[in-house]
Amino acid sequence: MHEARQYAKKENNVVQCSLCSHRCTIAHGKHGICGVRKNEGGVLYATTYGLVSAEAVDPIEKKPLFHYLPGTLSYSLGGVGCNFRCEHCQNWHISQADRDGARLTGISPGEGVSRALARGSASISWTYNEPTIWHEYTLDMGTLARAKGLGTVYVTNGYITEEALTELAPMLAAFRVDLKAFTDDFYKKICGGHLQPVLDATVRARELGMHIETVTLVIPGLNDSMEEQESLIRWVIEHLGPQTPMHFSAFHPDYHMTNREATPVALLEKICSRAKELGLRYPYLGNVPHSRWENTYCPACGAMLIERRGFSSRITGLDDRQCTSCGETIEIVRHAS
């Protein structure tokens, strides 16, 4: 097993993990909440280092990331475990699995980078389950990836400590974070965490120079009030900037939350329209095909810049980062390095 980073040794072979905001105190022979970091004799081990449950080459738009390397492919890896217990998780079969209960394949950091390059990917994404708990593996692979000119992406719930995020900063370029709701009650009841650490980590990621995009799954009866959504949008504009792409996605029943209806498209469109009124430059609608809110438009003149259909995209109105119609500079990352 691979010794973990981001932990401190205590008395009686107890350790305290400082990787995620649970900051688990772990006795000998026990795991943290994530299920993959284990204390053996006062040493914390990352038990899933190099062990992969899912491997694919995805369009970057599937993450979803719309302003980071648009139109490119991302070599995507997932492991097992999670530091949340979301009742509506779509990847519960790996996020709630452990090392012994999943089919895992060994891929070293160097082999991962080689596979990404061989398959024509512009970036590597750690996704499908929570990448925070894969810290040592992503750090090693990401450092090699950046040296080869690849982009690097976390698709994350944002429940990471400042010290862990700071350690990742030299290699991590994009932080695609779920803002699952804008109430602590939702986070406690539905996810098993708290809101403020996610907000703090997202602000810190921005300060560290990472590209930020947010995703909010709008769930009927839980986080779908316009008051809550407006509060979230205002927070993003104030703390992350109006240029931050926000994705508002349709909920579909899954896992332990099969008793709720799918999100009405009209509500999502209303949220996107209101976001524009509040000053957000790039609101998007997710999980709804063939919507005009999938496309990127110039916030100055309204010209279409990137046309999307599902996970495919076509750049129509950009010259590098400038709108070809009016010359407005668009907040978008076109090159990994």
Side-chain angles (χ1 to χ4, degrees), residues 52-57 75-78 105 107 111-112 115-116 119 128:
V52 174
S53 68
E55 177 193 25
V57 176
Y75 178 68
S76 303
L77 294 173
T105 301
I107 299 177
E111 178 63 19
R115 292 187 185 196
R119 298 177 190 187
Y128 308 133

Side-chain angles (χ1 to χ4, degrees), residues 90 216-218 248-252 262-263 265 268 285-288:
Q90 295 181 337
T216 301
L217 190 70
V218 181
F248 301 94
S249 296
F251 164 81
H252 299 288
T263 317
V265 175
L268 296 171
L285 192 155
N287 292 344
V288 178

Side-chain angles (χ1 to χ4, degrees), residues 25-196:
T25 298
I26 308 170
H28 164 65
K30 302 297 184 179
H31 292 85
I33 287 173
C34 64
V36 300
R37 301 174 73 76
K38 186 177 183 181
N39 178 0
E40 290 285 359
V43 177
L44 188 64
Y45 289 96
T47 65
T48 56
Y49 184 97
L51 298 179
V52 174
S53 68
E55 177 193 25
V57 176
D58 291 333
I60 194 73
E61 288 79 12
K62 190 175 180 180
K63 302 302 125 191
L65 279 166
F66 282 8
H67 286 235
Y68 183 75
L69 308 180
T72 66
L73 298 174
S74 188
Y75 178 68
S76 303
L77 294 173
V80 293
C82 190
N83 52 1
F84 274 5
R85 298 289 183 268
C86 298
E87 294 186 7
H88 54 293
C89 182
Q90 295 181 337
N91 289 331
W92 58 270
H93 55 291
I94 60 172
S95 72
Q96 303 308 311
D98 58 28
R99 174 177 168 159
D100 298 326
R103 296 178 61 181
L104 298 170
T105 301
I107 299 177
S108 71
E111 178 63 19
V113 172
S114 296
R115 292 187 185 196
L117 292 168
R119 298 177 190 187
S121 299
S123 63
I124 296 178
S125 292
W126 298 283
T127 178
Y128 308 133
N129 73 312
E130 178 50 49
T132 293
I133 63 175
W134 229 3
H135 182 80
E136 297 76 13
Y137 181 56
T138 65
L139 179 63
D140 289 349
M141 187 183 294
T143 300
L144 296 176
R146 295 298 287 161
K148 293 292 186 179
L150 290 167
T152 47
V153 176
Y154 259 29
V155 178
T156 177
N157 62 29
Y159 217 61
I160 186 171
T161 64
E162 179 177 359
E163 51 264 50
L165 192 58
T166 300
E167 187 174 31
L168 292 174
M171 78 82 183
L172 188 57
F175 192 79
R176 211 293 284 138
V177 60
D178 291 332
L179 298 182
K180 296 179 181 289
F182 205 58
T183 66
D184 196 59
D185 188 61
F186 180 102
Y187 269 86
K188 287 191 293 184
K189 291 181 178 179
I190 306 300
C191 306
H194 294 279
L195 170 62
Q196 193 60 49

